[in-house]
């Protein structure tokens, strides 16, 4: 039985579809659902009928906001697909999906090639070492150029992108493609919506080109699998003697080891090339078995261990997404790395501590669901009944407590005040905010202590706009929001120290704590580090943790304008205690006071978020666009011209970017577009710092 399951596991593929906004991710997924028999009609994005874009906001805007999961079967293989958003404000959706996938299909537009967001998602996939196949879509569009798109992949992404197909024609003349492994031409029947195609000989005008491309492909494969000497020998001596199986095995090895990115082509909208893409996923993408053992920490021994992808092992799963479903309540999506998940099982949440119980298990198809009794290793499951679990938590069998590698999320860069319209909405607002922040780790909710305002923070204006819209539609909350504000940070520029005593005598038992701190700037982007250097028990062990807790709380409010302190090293170096009067509370308060005292001496400064801004504009407007970015304190990082369009890359403070879309439209007569993503934090100029402090002072 166990052997059968391992064989079945080899036929599982967990893949994501990732790309820049508008490259055709959802359209491609819709075709996959249609050809695999999952849906009987093709939903179109532009008609607001796509299966995977099921949220109202997605239908209205024609964009994907939340990653949707579905399962299809193709030639006896089970493929779990996650369709991810392309818009940069929802980058967390891509991040958490990639963390649990075994492979990804990267989509590129044949006209635009590699776009800014394509680079972002490619870097995210590099971070998690996810194997990738590339699909150059929209081959039927005006200006389609397959070879230029492949060139941009090599140049901008440093990908080892090698075509395994050669397109036949382009733009309105795009008819099909040549399979370079089999050296056959494929022509699609339009009347069958691409479900049928003819195989024929390669058109005469392409024979020489296809032979050259095939030779290049084989030579590249020979360098990837250096151990396979017979393959290398055949490539050099007699390439025609290689069987299809041998070539497929070499491509698969190259993809699974992340050394090779095969490039296919097609037009999803015109139903050409999607089945071949499915064949490639099944033939070349890794199964959970190929991805091998998973790194984890054994909590009993604190040592690093490796989990085998097998049903026979104890359960270990990672929660990668939380959703609130109007019918069934809270859904927790998880990827099972080892063991089996059965309905009614008690699980250990090793991230939060404590037990969780699974009341129901569902297999999701976008927002439709199917009840299941159990899930196996390699599956993506949706659970009902988990109370504490949030994104990034590890759930495992109580028999073997393990902790899987954590997920990291970017810091929010934009915030705004929100308030309920009436008293009746107050309660509903708090429920909505808590649900949405549970779902989305990049959405933060806090209260401004001075004004009592509720502040929401996120990754961009669109991100907060969508969340505000969801509150109204899904939770029935009427609320007003303030103007978007920049989420600043504070840090220190020089080392400093403080010696603080917290002493209170008020009848009966007093309070006593004495803490000495040293603080210094940390490396940029490194975050805060709080360490205890106490020796000899000058502060007893039981008071160290409360002191650290007090310091950490103190770091959430800055000195100049109350923004959180970042990139600091805080060391507890000395202190003293009183046998009777000292308590955990006293040391916690003293830790927070000492931090404030030290930070005041350490020349604090305000940091502002700097955005990576990528603008595409007609060349004739390039000078105006650059001039405008310079006025916004932008630093131009690069510019290039491609086919009459100029691409400008710049680093610009977020503060200067509000309302930019309107200005860009009027500057470029409505033809310019831009994408913006958080880059880093940088010190604000002195004049602006004074302005911020004055405003909040």
């Amino acid at each position: 039985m166990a052997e059968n399951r391992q064989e079945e596991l080899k036929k599982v593929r967990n893949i994501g579809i990732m790309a820049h906004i508008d490259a055709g991710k959802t359209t491609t997924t819709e075709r996959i659902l249609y050809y695999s028999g999952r849906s009987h009609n093709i939903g179109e994005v532009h008609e607001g009928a796509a299966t995977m874009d099921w949220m109202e906001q997605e239908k209205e805007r024609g964009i994907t906001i939340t990653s949707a999961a579905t399962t299809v079967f193709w030639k006896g293989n089970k493929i779990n697909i996650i369709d991810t958003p392309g818009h940069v404000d929802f980058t967390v959706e891509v991040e958490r999906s990639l963390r649990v996938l075994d492979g990804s299909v990267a989509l590129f537009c044949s006209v635009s090639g590699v776009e800014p967001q394509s680079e972002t998602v490619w870097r995210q996939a590099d971070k998690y070492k996810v194997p990738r196949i590339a699909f150059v879509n929209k081959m039927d569009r005006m200006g389609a150029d397959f070879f230029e798109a492949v060139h941009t992949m090599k140049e901008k992404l440093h990908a080892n992108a090698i075509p395994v197909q050669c397109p036949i024609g382009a733009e309105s003349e795009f008819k099909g493609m040549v399979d370079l492994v089999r050296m056959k031409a494929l022509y699609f029947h339009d009347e069958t919506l691409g479900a049928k195609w003819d195989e024929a000989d390669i058109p005469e005008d392409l024979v020489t080109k296809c032979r050259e491309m095939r030779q290049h492909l084989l030579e590249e494969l020979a360098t990837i699998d250096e151990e396979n000497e017979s393959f290398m020998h055949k490539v050099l001596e007699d390439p025609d003697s290689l069987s299809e199986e041998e070539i497929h095995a070499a491509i698969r090895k190259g993809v699974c080891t992340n050394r090779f990115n095969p490039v296919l082509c097609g037009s999803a909208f015109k139903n050409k090339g999607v089945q071949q893409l499915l064949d490639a996923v099944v033939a070349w993408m890794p199964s959970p078995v190929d991805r091998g053992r998973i790194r984890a920490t054994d909590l009993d021994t604190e040592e690093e261990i490796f989990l085998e992808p097998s049903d026979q092992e104890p359960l270990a799963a990672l929660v990668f997404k939380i959703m609130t479903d109007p019918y069934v309540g809270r859904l927790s999506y998880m990827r099972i790395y080892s063991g089996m998940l059965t309905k009614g099982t008690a699980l250990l949440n090793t991230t939060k501590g404590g037990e969780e119980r699974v009341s129901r298990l569902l297999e999701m198809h976008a927002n439709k669901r199917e009840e299941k009794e159990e899930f196996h290793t390699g599956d993506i499951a949706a659970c009902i009944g988990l109370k504490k679990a949030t994104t990034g938590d590890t759930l495992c069998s109580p028999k073997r407590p393990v902790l899987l590698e954590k997920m990291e999320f970017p810091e929010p860069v934009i915030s705004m005040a929100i308030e309920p319209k009436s008293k009746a909405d107050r309660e509903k607002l708090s429920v909505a905010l808590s649900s949405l922040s549970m779902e989305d780790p990049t959405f933060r909710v806090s209260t401004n202590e001075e004004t009592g305002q509720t502040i929401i923070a996120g990754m961009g204006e669109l991100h907060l706009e969508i969340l505000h819209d969801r509150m109204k539609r899904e939770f029935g909350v009427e609320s007003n929001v303030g103007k978007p504000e920049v989420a600043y940070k504070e840090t220190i520029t020089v080392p400093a120290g403080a010696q603080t005593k917290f002493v209170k005598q008020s009848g009966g038992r007093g309070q006593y704590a004495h803490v000495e701190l040293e603080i210094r700037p940390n490396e940029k982007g490194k975050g805060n580090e709080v360490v205890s250097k106490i020796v000899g028990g000058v502060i007893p062990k039981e008071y160290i943790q409360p002191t650290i807790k007090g310091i950490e709380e103190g770091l959430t409010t800055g000195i100049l304008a109350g923004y959180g302190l970042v990139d600091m090293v805080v060391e507890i170096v000395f202190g003293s205690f009183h046998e009777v009067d000292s308590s955990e509370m006293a040391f916690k308060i003293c830790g927070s006071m000492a931090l404030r005292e030290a930070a005041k001496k350490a020349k604090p400064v305000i940091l502002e978020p700097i955005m990576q801004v990528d603008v595409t504009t007609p060349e004739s407007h390039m000078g105006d666009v650059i001039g405008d970015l310079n006025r916004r304190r932008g630093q131009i990082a690069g510019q290039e011209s491609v086919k009459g369009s100029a691409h400008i890359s710049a680093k610009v403070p977020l503060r200067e970017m509000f309302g930019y879309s309107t200005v860009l439209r009027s500057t470029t007569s409505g033809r310019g577009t831009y994408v913006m993503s958080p880059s880093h934090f940088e010190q604000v100029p002195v004049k602006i710092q004074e302005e911020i402090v004055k405003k909040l002072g």
Side-chain angles (χ1 to χ4, degrees):
M1 179 70 190
E3 279 172 23
N4 284 354
R5 259 303 302 158
Q6 279 311 89
E7 282 308 308
E8 275 179 43
L9 193 53
K10 285 179 184 171
K11 290 183 176 176
V12 172
R13 303 285 181 272
N14 286 316
I15 66 158
I17 297 185
M18 60 182 210
H20 184 88
I21 190 165
D22 238 7
K25 294 179 299 299
T26 303
T27 305
T28 306
T29 312
E30 291 297 322
R31 299 309 183 266
I32 290 173
L33 298 178
Y34 177 72
Y35 296 128
S36 62
R38 177 53 105 158
S39 60
H40 299 295
N41 61 335
I42 297 177
E44 300 296 4
V45 176
H46 59 271
E47 292 168 3
T51 312
M52 303 302 275
D53 285 351
W54 54 272
M55 285 171 72
E56 289 299 326
Q57 294 90 335
E58 294 178 314
K59 289 176 179 174
E60 287 168 4
R61 295 162 194 261
I63 60 170
T64 304
I65 292 168
T66 175
S67 48
T70 188
T71 302
V72 301
F73 290 87
W74 186 254
K75 297 185 175 174
N77 295 267
K78 181 180 182 180
I79 308 176
N80 298 316
I81 303 171
I82 295 181
D83 173 26
T84 61
H87 197 287
V88 67
D89 280 15
F90 308 103
T91 191
V92 65
E93 291 283 342
V94 183
E95 182 92 16
R96 55 184 170 192
S97 303
L98 285 169
R99 169 68 179 83
V100 298
L101 292 172
D102 298 323
S104 176
V105 175
L107 251 62
F108 299 93
C109 170
S110 62
V111 183
S112 320
V114 173
E115 296 173 273
Q117 188 60 9
S118 327
E119 293 186 56
T120 308
V121 292
W122 195 269
R123 281 199 304 275
Q124 286 172 308
D126 279 339
K127 179 170 142 188
Y128 294 115
K129 298 183 175 60
V130 176
R132 276 146 280 177
I133 290 176
F135 182 70
V136 176
N137 192 20
K138 304 193 177 184
M139 282 300 300
D140 58 313
R141 289 273 293 272
M142 276 285 291
D145 188 336
F146 174 76
F147 298 101
E148 178 57 30
V150 174
H151 173 69
T152 61
M153 281 180 229
K154 290 179 175 175
E155 199 175 80
K156 291 183 178 175
L157 306 175
H158 308 298
N160 190 12
I162 310 289
V164 288
Q165 291 177 346
C166 173
I168 304 171
E171 300 181 348
S172 58
E173 296 300 304
F174 177 64
K175 293 186 179 69
M177 63 283 297
V178 173
D179 179 341
L180 297 176
V181 175
R182 294 167 54 221
M183 290 303 270
K184 286 282 182 205
L186 311 177
Y187 296 98
F188 292 83
H189 293 200
D190 286 339
E191 67 278 7
T192 65
L193 290 175
K196 293 194 173 129
W197 60 88
D198 292 327
E199 283 191 10
D201 291 334
I202 300 170
E204 275 181 33
D205 58 333
L206 283 177
V207 169
T208 311
K209 186 164 186 75
C210 287
R211 281 209 180 118
E212 283 171 9
M213 286 172 76
R214 186 177 201 260
Q215 191 56 29
H216 179 55
L217 167 69
L218 295 175
E219 284 168 5
E220 189 62 40
L221 290 172
T223 61
I224 282 168
D225 195 358
E226 288 161 1
E227 293 162 22
N228 192 342
E229 283 179 17
S230 83
F231 188 90
M232 200 176 284
H233 192 72
K234 284 182 183 174
V235 171
L236 294 170
E237 303 290 323
D238 181 12
D240 292 337
S241 66
L242 281 163
S243 69
E244 283 175 34
E245 283 75 24
E246 286 176 293
I247 299 172
H248 282 302
I251 297 177
R252 182 178 175 82
K253 185 156 186 183
V255 172
C256 291
T257 54
N258 244 324
R259 292 169 67 187
F260 182 74
N261 305 113
V263 187
L264 297 93
C265 63
S267 163
F269 187 56
K270 292 286 172 61
N271 313 306
K272 292 180 173 73
V274 176
Q275 295 95 321
Q276 286 64 34
L277 176 64
L278 277 170
D279 287 344
V281 165
V282 167
W284 306 330
M285 281 285 189
S287 70
V289 175
D290 297 311
R291 287 285 277 171
R293 301 185 309 165
I294 304 295
R295 191 194 300 254
T297 307
D298 185 325
L299 292 184
D300 290 337
T301 61
E302 298 282 311
E303 283 176 10
E304 189 175 84
I305 56 166
F306 289 92
L307 310 177
E308 294 290 339
S310 158
D311 281 1
Q312 298 342 98
E313 292 280 306
L315 176 81
L318 186 80
V319 178
F320 68 94
K321 183 176 167 76
I322 303 287
M323 260 184 69
T324 308
D325 185 293
Y327 301 104
V328 294
R330 194 168 160 206
L331 277 177
S332 309
Y333 283 79
M334 60 177 80
R335 157 77 196 262
I336 300 167
Y337 284 102
S338 68
M340 281 172 64
L341 180 64
T342 318
K343 203 163 97 174
T345 318
L347 303 171
L348 189 64
N349 184 335
T350 48
T351 314
K352 299 271 187 309
E355 278 203 353
E356 301 260 30
R357 190 168 291 279
V358 176
S359 57
R360 286 165 69 193
L361 288 174
L362 303 171
E363 185 170 87
M364 298 302 287
H365 171 53
N367 64 333
K368 297 184 178 69
R369 59 196 80 73
E370 204 176 301
E371 293 268 351
K372 297 275 282 199
E373 289 300 312
E374 58 182 28
F375 281 98
H376 300 266
T377 297
D379 284 339
I380 287 175
C383 301
I384 298 172
L386 306 183
K387 300 277 191 295
K388 291 182 194 165
T390 53
T391 302
D393 285 5
T394 301
L395 295 171
C396 61
S397 160
K399 291 176 193 164
R400 182 185 61 184
V402 294
L403 192 61
L404 294 163
E405 276 185 280
K406 268 198 160 146
M407 297 161 83
E408 288 172 10
F409 300 110
E411 285 291 312
V413 294
I414 190 166
S415 67
M416 52 175 68
I418 186 165
E419 58 183 28
K421 277 192 178 171
S422 65
K423 276 188 177 169
D425 286 312
R426 189 171 296 259
E427 190 64 33
K428 284 195 271 184
L429 180 68
S430 120
V431 169
L433 291 175
S434 118
S435 274
L436 291 170
S437 61
M438 199 102 92
E439 280 183 31
D440 184 347
T442 56
F443 176 59
R444 309 277 170 85
V445 181
S446 59
T447 305
N448 183 324
E449 283 180 11
E450 286 175 20
T451 60
Q453 277 182 313
T454 302
I455 308 290
I456 54 174
M459 299 311 293
E461 287 182 79
L462 180 66
H463 185 202
L464 293 182
E465 190 186 316
I466 296 275
L467 286 165
H468 183 230
D469 194 34
R470 283 185 64 192
M471 286 177 214
K472 189 174 172 180
R473 293 193 195 194
E474 292 171 31
F475 299 91
V477 179
E478 294 287 339
S479 58
N480 296 321
V481 288
K483 275 190 11 214
E485 301 272 346
V486 176
Y488 295 103
K489 299 276 180 212
E490 293 185 27
T491 191
I492 55 171
T493 50
V494 297
Q499 213 182 130
T500 305
K501 281 189 178 172
F502 175 63
V503 184
K504 258 190 170 171
Q505 281 313 126
S506 54
R509 193 171 157 187
Q511 297 272 18
Y512 179 90
H514 166 211
V515 173
E516 195 171 320
L517 296 183
E518 283 178 7
I519 62 171
R520 63 176 188 273
N522 204 354
E523 279 174 57
K524 259 189 183 175
K526 201 82 184 280
N528 294 324
E529 291 173 41
V530 183
V531 281
S532 165
K533 293 283 178 80
I534 295 294
V535 285
V538 288
I539 299 178
K541 208 171 171 187
E542 64 264 29
Y543 296 146
I544 299 283
Q545 213 42 50
T547 310
I548 292 175
K549 206 162 176 66
I551 293 167
E552 285 172 346
E553 280 181 13
L555 288 165
T556 59
T557 336
I559 304 301
L560 296 168
Y563 297 108
L565 286 156
V566 292
D567 300 339
M568 286 171 57
V569 177
V570 183
E571 291 176 344
I572 309 168
V573 290
F574 193 66
S576 65
F577 72 106
H578 188 279
E579 289 284 355
V580 180
D581 291 348
S582 286
S583 65
E584 288 188 5
M585 183 52 79
F587 272 95
K588 188 178 169 186
I589 295 168
C590 191
S592 180
M593 284 165 62
L595 178 81
R596 287 195 71 79
E597 214 168 297
K600 280 175 188 166
K601 299 175 191 170
K603 296 190 177 165
V605 292
I606 293 177
L607 303 174
E608 63 180 342
I610 307 292
M611 309 304 277
Q612 171 67 42
V613 180
D614 294 280
V615 186
T616 304
T617 169
E619 274 186 330
S620 51
H621 297 287
M622 184 166 145
D624 296 340
V625 170
I626 289 177
D628 180 56
L629 288 169
N630 285 331
R631 279 194 293 281
R632 294 171 187 272
R633 297 194 285 130
Q635 288 180 329
I636 308 296
Q639 54 197 69
E640 56 175 358
S641 294
V642 181
K643 297 177 187 169
S645 286
H647 296 287
I648 303 154
S649 170
K651 298 266 194 298
V652 191
L654 175 62
R655 180 188 170 103
E656 311 293 340
M657 287 301 291
F658 290 131
Y660 182 63
S661 49
T662 315
V663 173
L664 182 66
R665 274 202 291 274
S666 63
T667 311
T668 61
S669 314
R671 291 164 69 194
T673 58
Y674 80 105
V675 286
M676 181 165 83
S677 56
S679 170
H680 62 285
F681 278 81
E682 216 167 79
Q683 191 176 333
V684 300
V686 174
K687 197 172 168 202
I688 293 176
Q689 178 163 311
E690 286 168 2
E691 202 181 296
I692 297 168
V693 173
K694 194 175 168 187
K695 185 182 163 189
L696 292 164

